[in-house]
Amino acid sequence: MENTTRTIFVVDDNKSNLVTALDALSSYYTVLTFDAGVRLLNTMEKKMPDLILLDVQMPEMNGYQVMQRLKADDRFKKVPVIFLTAMDSTVDEVKGLEMGALDYIIKPFSAVLLRKRVELHLKLFDYSNNLERMVQDKIKELATKSNHVESLKNSLLRTTAELVEYRDENTGNHIERTQKYLELFINAMIEHNVYADEAQSFNMELVLQSSQLHDVGKISVRDAILFKPERLTPDEFEEMKLHTTVGEKIINKMKATTHESDFLEYARIFAVTHHERWNGSGYPVGLKESNIPLLRRIMAIADVYDALVTKRPYKSAFPHEYAVKVISDEHGSHFDPALTNLFMQIHPEFEKIATRLKEIES
């Protein structure tokens, strides 16, 4: 026998049909009968069935109208429904199935047929629910694994960038600070309508991740040059400049072996252009003004600000006010004028980030 905790609602304005259904099912299920659709809907406010047997032709509210009400309510729309009908019409049957009914049972029905159809559809419904739960559990499991993989990828990316770019303790959390400055600046660009359309098109998560690789090409620079406390000689500076093109080559090799194209394209832009200047005096290409990618022009201010306010092997940390003056003075030469003007409005937020992260370091 079936588990009697399963509840079946039967709706039919013909008392004889209700009695037949009750006799056929009550030994196997808990059965409640209703002679009108409105009574079914009222009862469902308090009690939910496992399946509904619903007559099509009823006065006041027919079965199709009841079905519409059920499907329009998030609480009831998943309850399985089988139509009971004396109509033997393909058009009517298709209409009911399109509305979401599981099946049609033609009246008059036999007790055995009714019981078997109910049993079958409850099993199918249970199977469907179990399958849906399994799928959802698997999706959650995969999402968890994906988050773990993403976390591991970010950790490896950050560690690699720090090992390549900053191989002594004087540089601190330059990468984290730069990411915070970039995020602040891009959000400010959208808020203040400065290159807002392009800024909104950025995938912020990928931009911030890829920015960690902007100096990946420094893997090719000798420590004697990278950490030299005095000014570089012309030959040493030429060697240092090569880190931009080396970085581009490294990232292009990555692009050839992965599908992470957006992330790596952002990284390539940062790596090869982050020393270009607005007036064309930068390197490696000497790009000028709007020919320099916007991401690079944003990074220019973030990178220079951080270099000025933090200690490096060749200098002490300068105060925030000095960094602001340097960037202001380079308006239209090193830096994009529109972005420099925006920096002058939001530079106190830069100072807050720098101060907060320095406190964490100490």
Side-chain angles (χ1 to χ4, degrees):
M1 294 178 64
E2 288 292 325
N3 189 329
T4 55
T5 59
R6 308 303 293 270
T7 300
I8 310 298
F9 286 180
V10 185
V11 189
D12 198 309
D13 63 323
N14 185 310
K15 186 174 182 180
S16 175
N17 290 332
L18 294 178
V19 171
T20 300
L22 189 62
D23 290 344
L25 302 173
S26 59
S27 296
Y28 303 88
Y29 309 100
T30 298
V31 181
L32 276 68
T33 60
F34 306 88
D35 61 2
V38 67
R39 292 190 174 90
L40 165 76
L41 296 172
N42 289 338
T43 300
M44 288 184 68
E45 295 291 335
K46 304 174 183 178
K47 183 177 178 63
M48 291 284 286
D50 294 287
L51 184 143
I52 299 171
L53 297 172
L54 179 61
D55 185 23
V56 173
Q57 292 180 306
M58 295 184 294
E60 298 182 11
M61 184 184 295
N62 65 35
Y64 296 136
Q65 292 170 323
V66 174
M67 189 68 163
Q68 286 178 328
R69 293 276 293 275
L70 293 174
K71 294 302 179 182
D73 194 315
D74 288 339
R75 297 171 298 168
F76 310 144
K77 65 182 182 181
K78 289 190 175 182
V79 177
V81 176
I82 298 175
F83 275 131
L84 304 174
T85 181
M87 300 182 296
D88 187 10
S89 166
T90 301
V91 174
D92 293 321
E93 185 173 349
V94 169
K95 178 180 178 180
L97 295 175
E98 287 178 344
M99 293 182 70
L102 296 180
D103 202 354
Y104 260 91
I105 296 178
I106 304 297
K107 298 187 290 185
F109 46 78
S110 72
V112 174
L113 173 63
L114 181 65
R115 188 165 61 247
K116 288 297 182 182
R117 298 283 275 276
V118 168
E119 178 185 348
L120 171 64
H121 282 293
L122 283 175
K123 287 181 177 178
L124 289 174
F125 189 71
D126 288 344
Y127 176 79
S128 176
N129 280 341
N130 289 336
L131 182 61
E132 183 176 349
R133 282 193 293 270
M134 288 172 61
V135 169
Q136 292 301 320
D137 289 344
K138 182 58 68 174
I139 289 173
K140 290 179 182 178
E141 179 185 341
L142 291 174
T144 299
K145 289 181 179 179
S146 177
N147 289 337
H148 289 163
V149 171
E150 186 68 17
S151 177
L152 177 60
K153 184 189 80 173
N154 290 338
S155 177
L156 290 172
L157 178 63
R158 179 179 293 273
T159 301
T160 300
E162 289 175 348
L163 287 172
V164 169
E165 186 177 355
Y166 303 111
R167 299 191 289 270
D168 80 350
E169 61 184 10
N170 292 320
T171 55
N173 293 321
H174 169 77
I175 291 171
E176 183 175 359
R177 290 192 300 271
T178 302
Q179 287 179 310
K180 296 293 185 184
Y181 299 144
L182 283 174
E183 184 175 18
L184 167 65
F185 216 118
I186 292 171
N187 286 331
M189 290 166 65
I190 296 170
E191 180 181 351
H192 293 271
N193 198 29
V194 178
Y195 304 120
D197 290 343
E198 189 170 353
Q200 286 177 318
S201 73
F202 295 150
N203 182 320
M204 182 75 83
E205 181 180 0
L206 296 185
V207 165
L208 298 181
Q209 288 179 359
S210 64
S211 69
Q212 298 176 81
L213 295 177
H214 70 279
D215 266 336
V216 69
K218 284 186 176 178
I219 194 171
S220 66
V221 180
R222 292 178 289 126
D223 284 358
I225 293 176
L226 191 61
F227 301 116
K228 185 177 179 180
E230 301 89 15
R231 182 181 294 275
L232 299 180
T233 67
D235 287 343
E236 289 171 338
F237 185 59
E238 288 302 315
E239 183 176 340
M240 174 68 84
K241 287 163 64 175
L242 292 176
H243 79 275
T244 55
T245 53
V246 170
E248 182 179 35
K249 289 177 182 178
I250 290 171
I251 292 167
N252 281 338
K253 286 182 179 179
M254 294 180 187
K255 289 178 70 175
T257 59
T258 183
H259 297 295
E260 297 280 357
S261 57
D262 289 341
F263 166 76
L264 289 174
E265 179 56 22
Y266 286 141
R268 187 196 66 79
I269 290 171
F270 282 130
V272 74
T273 68
H274 69 280
H275 283 290
E276 299 288 358
R277 293 171 174 251
W278 181 257
N279 64 5
S281 64
Y283 63 87
V285 179
L287 296 176
K288 188 174 182 180
E289 299 182 356
S290 60
N291 289 322
I292 304 170
L294 179 59
L295 279 177
R296 146 62 196 136
R297 282 136 58 197
I298 301 167
M299 172 64 89
I301 294 177
D303 203 23
V304 168
Y305 175 83
D306 192 66
L308 289 169
V309 300
T310 57
K311 182 180 178 181
R312 293 293 172 89
Y314 50 86
K315 73 168 192 65
S316 299
F318 293 112
H320 168 76
E321 294 74 17
Y322 178 81
V324 171
K325 183 178 185 306
V326 169
I327 292 173
S328 177
D329 289 346
E330 293 290 326
H331 174 286
S333 55
H334 190 157
F335 306 116
D336 180 327
L339 296 180
T340 308
N341 291 337
L342 178 60
F343 172 78
M344 298 307 294
Q345 297 180 60
I346 65 173
H347 70 77
E349 298 301 318
F350 273 65
E351 184 178 24
K352 289 179 183 178
I353 292 172
T355 301
R356 183 173 69 251
L357 293 181
K358 284 180 182 177
E359 289 174 352
I360 293 174
E361 290 176 34
S362 61

